[in-house]
Amino acid sequence: QVQLVESGGGLVQPGGSLRLSCTASGSIVSINAMGWYRRTPGKERESIATIRSDGSTKYVDSVKGRFTISRDGAKNTVYLQMNSLKPEDTAVYSCYVGAFVGQGSGVRFADNWGQGTQVTVSS
Protein backbone atom coordinates (compact mmCIF):
# COMPACT_ATOMS: atom_id res chain seq x y z
CA GLN A 1 0.00 0.00 0.00
CA VAL A 2 3.00 2.27 0.41
CA GLN A 3 5.66 2.70 -2.20
CA LEU A 4 9.07 4.16 -1.38
CA VAL A 5 11.35 5.54 -4.08
CA GLU A 6 14.93 6.26 -3.09
CA SER A 7 17.57 8.17 -4.98
CA GLY A 8 20.94 9.81 -4.51
CA GLY A 9 23.37 6.97 -3.89
CA GLY A 10 26.63 6.57 -5.73
CA LEU A 11 30.40 6.66 -5.56
CA VAL A 12 32.14 9.50 -3.75
CA GLN A 13 35.66 10.18 -2.54
CA PRO A 14 36.47 10.35 1.17
CA GLY A 15 35.52 13.76 2.51
CA GLY A 16 32.84 14.20 -0.11
CA SER A 17 29.09 14.62 0.19
CA LEU A 18 25.95 12.92 -1.01
CA ARG A 19 22.27 13.60 -0.52
CA LEU A 20 19.79 10.77 -0.35
CA SER A 21 16.07 11.22 -0.80
CA CYS A 22 13.09 8.94 -0.33
CA THR A 23 9.51 9.70 -1.33
CA ALA A 24 6.56 7.77 0.00
CA SER A 25 3.30 7.38 -1.88
CA GLY A 26 0.17 5.30 -1.62
CA SER A 27 -2.66 5.02 0.89
CA ILE A 28 -0.98 7.10 3.57
CA VAL A 29 -3.12 8.60 6.29
CA SER A 30 -0.33 10.05 8.39
CA ILE A 31 3.37 9.49 8.87
CA ASN A 32 4.69 8.88 12.37
CA ALA A 33 8.41 8.66 11.64
CA MET A 34 10.85 8.52 8.77
CA GLY A 35 14.44 7.41 8.84
CA TRP A 36 17.47 5.87 7.25
CA TYR A 37 19.15 2.56 7.92
CA ARG A 38 22.28 1.07 6.43
CA ARG A 39 23.65 -2.41 6.03
CA THR A 40 27.10 -3.71 5.24
CA PRO A 41 28.01 -7.35 4.52
CA GLY A 42 28.32 -9.36 7.70
CA LYS A 43 26.75 -6.69 9.89
CA GLU A 44 23.32 -6.08 11.31
CA ARG A 45 21.16 -3.39 9.77
CA GLU A 46 21.89 -0.14 11.61
CA SER A 47 19.53 2.74 12.25
CA ILE A 48 21.52 5.89 11.55
CA ALA A 49 18.98 8.72 11.57
CA THR A 50 15.32 9.18 12.43
CA ILE A 51 12.96 12.13 12.25
CA ARG A 52 9.57 12.03 13.91
CA SER A 53 6.39 13.89 13.03
CA ASP A 54 7.16 16.54 15.64
CA GLY A 55 10.48 17.25 13.93
CA SER A 56 12.66 15.68 16.59
CA THR A 57 15.70 13.85 15.28
CA LYS A 58 17.99 11.11 16.47
CA TYR A 59 21.35 9.98 15.11
CA VAL A 60 23.73 7.13 15.73
CA ASP A 61 26.96 8.41 17.27
CA SER A 62 29.08 7.51 14.24
CA VAL A 63 27.29 10.05 11.99
CA LYS A 64 26.55 12.88 14.43
CA GLY A 65 27.87 16.17 13.14
CA ARG A 66 28.28 14.80 9.60
CA PHE A 67 24.80 13.65 8.55
CA THR A 68 21.57 15.64 8.67
CA ILE A 69 18.10 14.20 8.28
CA SER A 70 15.20 16.38 7.17
CA ARG A 71 11.74 15.97 5.74
CA ASP A 72 9.23 17.69 3.52
CA GLY A 73 5.85 16.79 4.94
CA ALA A 74 3.92 18.09 1.97
CA LYS A 75 5.86 15.76 -0.33
CA ASN A 76 6.14 12.81 2.08
CA THR A 77 9.85 12.93 1.42
CA VAL A 78 12.80 12.37 3.73
CA TYR A 79 16.34 13.46 2.99
CA LEU A 80 19.73 12.50 4.33
CA GLN A 81 22.53 14.97 3.73
CA MET A 82 25.82 13.17 4.21
CA ASN A 83 28.98 15.24 4.55
CA SER A 84 32.58 14.36 5.36
CA LEU A 85 31.99 10.84 4.15
CA LYS A 86 34.37 8.11 5.24
CA PRO A 87 35.14 4.71 3.71
CA GLU A 88 33.38 3.09 6.65
CA ASP A 89 30.15 4.80 5.56
CA THR A 90 30.08 2.48 2.56
CA ALA A 91 26.82 0.53 2.74
CA VAL A 92 23.40 0.01 1.25
CA TYR A 93 21.17 2.74 2.63
CA SER A 94 17.44 2.13 2.97
CA CYS A 95 14.72 4.51 4.01
CA TYR A 96 12.05 3.70 6.54
CA VAL A 97 8.58 5.13 6.92
CA GLY A 98 6.31 4.31 9.82
CA ALA A 99 2.82 5.37 8.89
CA PHE A 100 -0.89 4.81 9.30
CA VAL A 101 -2.13 3.46 5.98
CA GLY A 102 -5.38 2.35 4.45
CA GLN A 103 -8.88 3.70 4.24
CA GLY A 104 -11.91 3.87 6.47
CA SER A 105 -12.08 1.06 9.03
CA GLY A 106 -9.04 -0.58 7.44
CA VAL A 107 -6.53 1.99 8.67
CA ARG A 108 -3.56 0.37 10.40
CA PHE A 109 0.02 1.14 11.31
CA ALA A 110 2.65 -0.24 8.98
CA ASP A 111 6.45 -0.29 8.79
CA ASN A 112 7.63 0.36 5.26
CA TRP A 113 11.11 -0.11 3.82
CA GLY A 114 12.76 1.05 0.65
CA GLN A 115 14.74 -1.19 -1.68
CA GLY A 116 18.02 0.46 -0.77
CA THR A 117 20.61 2.51 -2.59
CA GLN A 118 24.33 1.81 -2.64
CA VAL A 119 26.72 4.39 -1.21
CA THR A 120 30.40 3.75 -1.82
CA VAL A 121 33.11 5.96 -0.34
CA SER A 122 36.44 5.26 -1.96
CA SER A 123 39.36 7.01 -3.57
Side-chain angles (χ1 to χ4, degrees):
Q1 287 185 317
V2 175
Q3 296 76 44
L4 301 180
V5 177
E6 300 158 327
S7 63
L11 172 65
V12 64
Q13 292 186 342
S17 298
L18 282 174
R19 188 193 195 206
L20 306 181
S21 65
C22 173
T23 298
S25 62
S27 303
I28 298 172
V29 176
S30 63
I31 293 177
N32 185 45
M34 307 179 86
W36 291 93
Y37 285 68
R38 67 185 179 188
R39 175 175 280 168
T40 55
K43 291 186 178 181
E44 295 286 330
R45 182 172 57 190
E46 175 184 40
S47 173
I48 57 172
T50 304
I51 184 166
R52 304 194 66 85
S53 57
D54 62 2
S56 60
T57 59
K58 184 177 181 181
Y59 299 91
V60 69
D61 286 345
S62 60
V63 308
K64 284 181 180 178
R66 299 188 299 122
F67 292 9
T68 302
I69 189 170
S70 60
R71 63 183 287 180
D72 184 332
K75 297 180 179 179
N76 286 341
T77 298
V78 61
Y79 305 97
L80 186 67
Q81 178 66 42
M82 304 185 293
N83 299 328
S84 302
L85 282 161
K86 305 174 182 180
E88 51 264 43
D89 294 319
T90 296
V92 175
Y93 287 70
S94 301
C95 70
Y96 161 82
V97 174
F100 288 95
V101 301
Q103 296 178 348
S105 60
V107 173
R108 60 180 178 85
F109 187 82
D111 296 307
N112 305 279
W113 300 91
Q115 294 277 16
T117 184
Q118 177 70 45
V119 171
T120 302
V121 184
S122 174
S123 56

